[in-house]
Amino acid sequence: MDEKKLIEQQIFNDTSAYQDIMDLPYTSSKRHLPMEQIDRAAQFAPFGALEGFSSLIKDKTKDYTRKKYSTAAEEKCITQQLNYLETHPLKVDVNYFNDKSGYYEHLKGYLKKIEPQKGRVTFDETSIVIVNIRAIKLV
């Protein structure tokens, strides 16, 4: 059962507080005409803009998680990929942790140089710390 139905059950299942008015007949207003169905639905339309907003936030937070440190096996794999790219100029998508922004970002480009003594690699114009690289995929 989805979250909406669970909340609805929690709110509307206990009607004991309203037993005194449950059997009273409906009386329409003598001052106001009944609202048209289309107008009744339109008053809730602004909330339609929020539909799917929470799922969008969840999708974005997956991209912007805090830094996770790679295992030795993952670092070895990334090093092998970088060594391969040094001799094979292929366009790749690099997922890396940006120290300035504090989030993971994607960079699409070609490997320009590897500086093992500095622990950095350069893709096009961007220099990245090797241990901050999370994944390298072919584009």
Side-chain angles (χ1 to χ4, degrees):
M1 190 177 296
D2 67 338
E3 185 179 345
K4 205 177 206 181
K5 293 283 185 193
L6 289 172
I7 293 170
E8 188 176 296
Q9 277 185 348
Q10 289 173 350
I11 294 173
F12 298 113
N13 271 355
D14 184 20
T15 58
S16 60
Y18 306 102
Q19 286 301 322
D20 58 333
I21 61 170
M22 292 293 267
D23 295 324
L24 292 177
Y26 173 75
T27 54
S28 58
S29 173
K30 293 179 176 115
R31 292 184 181 180
H32 304 287
L33 294 172
M35 183 182 280
E36 294 289 326
Q37 285 287 2
I38 191 76
D39 294 334
R40 188 180 304 271
Q43 71 183 351
F44 297 104
F47 297 105
L50 300 176
E51 192 73 27
F53 188 65
S54 63
S55 64
L56 178 66
I57 290 173
K58 285 178 187 174
D59 290 343
K60 283 294 178 187
T61 55
K62 288 177 188 174
D63 292 337
Y64 296 105
T65 55
R66 294 288 178 202
K67 184 176 181 178
K68 294 184 176 128
Y69 294 94
S70 304
T71 63
E74 291 169 337
E75 285 183 20
K76 184 179 177 184
C77 180
I78 289 169
T79 303
Q80 289 173 345
Q81 289 174 324
L82 291 171
N83 290 334
Y84 181 81
L85 289 172
E86 197 170 27
T87 57
H88 300 82
L90 299 169
K91 188 171 185 178
V92 291
D93 178 16
V94 182
N95 185 357
Y96 70 100
F97 186 80
N98 187 337
D99 290 323
K100 292 178 184 171
S101 69
Y103 297 108
Y104 279 95
E105 296 179 2
H106 287 271
L107 169 80
K108 292 182 181 175
Y110 295 92
L111 177 69
K112 294 294 181 193
K113 65 180 173 179
I114 299 175
E115 300 174 279
Q117 68 280 8
K118 291 183 179 179
R120 299 186 79 82
V121 292
T122 303
F123 287 90
D124 293 334
E125 305 299 319
T126 307
S127 178
I128 302 171
V129 177
I130 295 173
V131 294
N132 285 353
I133 297 174
R134 188 179 211 180
I136 300 173
K137 296 179 184 176
L138 290 175
V139 176

